[in-house]
Amino acid sequence: MMMPNVSSTLVRLNIGGKKFCTTIDTLTQRDPDSMLAAMFSGRHTACQDSEKGYVFVDRDGKHFRHILNWLRDGIVPTLEDNEYAELLQEAEYYQLLRKEPEEMDAELTRADIIKCIQSEKVRFRGVNLSGLDLSKLDLSSVDFSYACLRNVFFSRANLQLAKFRDADAEGSIFHNATLRECEFTGANLCGALLAGANLQSANLQGNCSFCGADLRSAHLQTADLTNANLEGANLEGANLKGAKLSNANLKGANLQRAYLRHVNLRETHLEGAKLDGANLLGAIR
């Protein structure tokens, strides 16, 4: 039966036996080109149980709540590595992970990368590695400058001293990765997931964009964020002890329970930022 074309209409979903309740507005607004948006936009017929009113989708419902929460709030959950892989598979099925028209397939495979890192000095400058799974690899000191790293899976990788100068790593996953002393000057990490990542003494200054990035519980001690753009980023519980935040854009950022003790915030843009529970003892404001 055709779903009514009313944005506020409640929708009951049966995803592989798990029941969910949401609205057409949630399913169609954030990504109008997704499969879910197509199902409930009135353009297609949905398979609905006439007695109980549930629309059935033949998928495992384990991670569907995360799919819904992303459609509602744009937030990616903190999960174990294997669960991330499962969630990405579901997101791909619902057509929420599509390549931009200008994106090309990765030029190398994970196996190619493993062979390359056996060398003493490794450079992937300007190489397209988008979408690769490079999790848990030792990529320390590798030069990724100017590379396309969109949606790359770097979870738990050792990237200490790696260079990401002017790299495009939008939407990449650095969950619990080691990024100590990395250079991110001019890099694009909008929407990237860096929850729990170790960014101690990293260079994130100068036109580096972390807009909307997830940096929950990240280690940013003595990191240089001068002129960095972290508007709308989630830094809840992050440790910024000794970090340089001169002229950093933290408008609308979530800094709840963040460690900002003795940090100089005088030239930091904090309009609309959430600072509830943050440790601001001795901070210069």
Side-chain angles (χ1 to χ4, degrees):
M1 62 179 290
M2 295 294 291
M3 299 301 297
N5 189 23
V6 181
S7 65
S8 60
T9 301
L10 284 175
V11 177
R12 293 177 174 83
L13 298 168
N14 180 345
I15 312 297
K18 290 185 179 292
K19 307 292 180 64
F20 299 89
C21 186
T22 185
T23 66
I24 289 179
D25 193 54
T26 294
L27 296 171
T28 59
Q29 274 204 345
R30 182 172 292 278
D31 193 338
D33 296 320
S34 71
M35 188 188 86
L36 290 168
M39 284 175 64
F40 296 98
S41 64
R43 291 174 286 170
H44 299 280
T45 301
C47 177
Q48 188 176 49
D49 186 322
S50 58
E51 293 183 4
K52 299 182 180 178
Y54 282 90
V55 175
F56 180 75
V57 180
D58 190 16
R59 296 293 293 179
D60 189 341
K62 177 181 177 182
H63 296 297
F64 192 73
R65 67 185 183 91
H66 298 312
I67 298 288
L68 280 182
N69 286 334
W70 184 83
L71 289 171
R72 291 166 179 145
D73 308 314
I75 294 175
V76 178
T78 300
L79 301 170
E80 294 299 322
D81 295 343
N82 63 321
E83 292 183 313
Y84 271 124
E86 293 172 359
L87 178 57
L88 288 171
Q89 186 175 4
E90 292 305 299
E92 185 175 356
Y93 173 80
Y94 293 113
Q95 297 176 14
L96 296 167
L97 289 178
R98 294 180 313 282
K99 294 180 181 178
E100 297 297 326
E102 67 273 13
E103 283 190 52
M104 301 178 293
D105 290 331
E107 298 174 58
L108 299 171
T109 66
R110 179 183 172 93
D112 294 330
I113 301 295
I114 292 172
K115 289 177 184 176
C116 289
I117 59 179
Q118 309 304 315
S119 305
E120 190 171 319
K121 193 170 184 179
V122 185
R123 293 182 180 179
F124 294 115
R125 294 168 67 91
V127 178
N128 186 352
L129 304 174
S130 56
L132 287 186
D133 179 1
L134 302 180
S135 60
K136 302 179 182 178
L137 295 180
D138 184 357
L139 299 164
S140 53
S141 300
V142 172
D143 190 349
F144 292 103
S145 298
Y146 312 105
C148 181
L149 304 169
R150 288 194 169 203
N151 301 312
V152 172
F153 195 55
F154 284 113
S155 181
R156 300 184 188 277
N158 178 12
L159 290 150
Q160 183 166 343
L161 293 169
K163 294 181 180 179
F164 293 91
R165 187 180 184 89
D166 291 307
D168 183 1
E170 183 172 344
S172 287
I173 296 173
F174 292 89
H175 175 243
N176 285 336
T178 299
L179 295 155
R180 290 176 64 105
E181 302 175 79
C182 285
E183 181 185 349
F184 289 96
T185 305
N188 172 22
L189 285 99
C190 290
L193 179 63
L194 296 112
N198 186 343
L199 289 142
Q200 292 183 51
S201 302
N203 181 359
L204 297 88
Q205 64 174 321
N207 300 317
C208 180
S209 182
F210 283 78
C211 289
D214 187 343
L215 288 146
R216 284 174 291 175
S217 301
H219 303 276
L220 289 153
Q221 297 96 310
T222 66
D224 191 346
L225 294 132
T226 304
N227 296 317
N229 186 358
L230 292 107
E231 185 168 355
N234 189 349
L235 289 134
E236 183 175 353
N239 188 341
L240 290 128
K241 181 180 180 181
K244 296 178 182 178
L245 293 166
S246 178
N247 203 38
N249 180 4
L250 285 159
K251 294 177 182 178
N254 182 0
L255 289 157
Q256 293 175 310
R257 293 180 290 283
Y259 189 99
L260 293 158
R261 193 168 179 173
H262 300 299
V263 173
N264 189 341
L265 299 170
R266 186 167 291 163
E267 297 179 0
T268 306
H269 303 283
L270 290 163
E271 296 88 335
K274 298 178 182 177
L275 291 159
D276 303 325
N279 187 339
L280 292 160
L281 185 64
I284 302 171
R285 303 179 70 180

